[in-house]
Amino acid sequence: MRSNAKARADEWVDHVIRIRDAQDQAAFAELFRHFAPRVKAFLMRSGADASLAEECAQEVMVTLWHKAHMFDPGRASVATWVFTIARNKKIDALRKQKRPEPEDLPWGPEAEPDQEDLLTLQQETSALGQALAELPEKQRNLVERAYFGDLSHSEIAAETGLPLGTIKSRIRLALDRLRHSMK
């Protein structure tokens, strides 16, 4: 069993060397078929969602293709090298999203909010609801689609048939009114 694993590890080293020396697409395809699904599963087990894991796995394999010359079989196995790249890609992606790493997250229950803060939040929510209700219907409709429906201005334009400039103007006016109402 151990000799099979060693032979397989040597085969992966040979594949990386073929990619490095000859841009061997067949060797890359074999590495991709073997490692891409394992990298994705590894990333998902470490807390990444499926789309982030898929994106990182693709980037890992692209990195393997472009940086095969940096692989040193004396320092690590191909698997160790690939999974180290995967870990680094995940960290980079999370930093771009400004999401904390799981080990940086606080553990345990969150503290109960202060009653005064809770009352203030309820009052502000009520005031915002009232200010929204007082907006002209055309403006309120667009604000609700943009902020509660999570649609882009272009998506709203496609849905309503209104020109993009009209949508932007109405939303800007509505937000101005809300800002003044909330002072």
Side-chain angles (χ1 to χ4, degrees):
M1 177 74 181
R2 182 72 181 137
S3 63
N4 283 345
K6 173 77 172 116
R8 190 66 172 170
D10 290 343
E11 185 180 336
W12 294 138
V13 170
D14 178 58
H15 281 55
V16 173
I17 291 170
R18 287 172 32 207
I19 293 168
R20 178 193 71 198
D21 295 344
Q23 289 75 43
D24 186 329
Q25 292 180 2
F28 179 75
E30 271 191 62
L31 280 168
F32 191 97
R33 275 192 300 274
H34 179 78
F35 283 106
R38 287 166 174 80
V39 166
K40 181 179 178 182
F42 163 77
L43 293 170
M44 289 178 70
R45 280 192 310 272
S46 70
D49 64 37
S51 64
L52 177 63
E54 178 73 30
E55 181 181 320
C56 286
Q58 296 287 329
E59 288 181 24
V60 167
M61 300 314 293
V62 169
T63 300
L64 185 148
W65 176 261
H66 290 294
K67 297 195 175 181
H69 66 279
M70 295 179 76
F71 173 67
D72 179 358
R75 292 185 58 178
S77 69
V78 172
T80 300
W81 185 58
V82 167
F83 285 98
T84 300
I85 295 169
R87 180 186 172 278
N88 293 339
K89 291 290 181 188
K90 178 187 162 216
I91 290 169
D92 290 345
L94 291 172
R95 283 182 183 146
K96 284 180 188 172
Q97 295 177 349
K98 298 189 184 215
R99 291 173 27 195
E101 281 288 302
E103 58 264 12
D104 295 336
L105 295 174
W107 291 99
E110 289 187 24
E112 288 293 317
D114 186 317
Q115 288 300 319
E116 186 177 322
D117 292 341
L118 196 55
L119 181 61
T120 301
L121 182 60
Q122 288 173 338
Q123 290 171 342
E124 288 174 352
T125 302
S126 177
L128 179 58
Q130 181 63 36
L132 275 168
E134 292 173 0
L135 285 175
E137 185 178 343
K138 290 178 180 179
Q139 290 178 0
R140 184 177 62 250
N141 185 348
L142 294 178
V143 167
E144 287 172 349
R145 285 173 183 241
Y147 292 95
F148 302 125
D150 204 25
L151 297 174
S152 70
H153 293 170
S154 299
E155 291 170 328
I156 295 169
E159 276 187 9
T160 62
L162 291 171
L164 187 58
T166 301
I167 290 168
K168 289 181 178 185
S169 295
R170 286 183 184 170
I171 289 175
R172 188 173 40 253
L173 288 171
L175 293 177
D176 239 9
R177 286 183 177 186
L178 290 175
R179 198 172 300 114
H180 289 296
S181 297
M182 298 297 293
K183 284 186 178 181

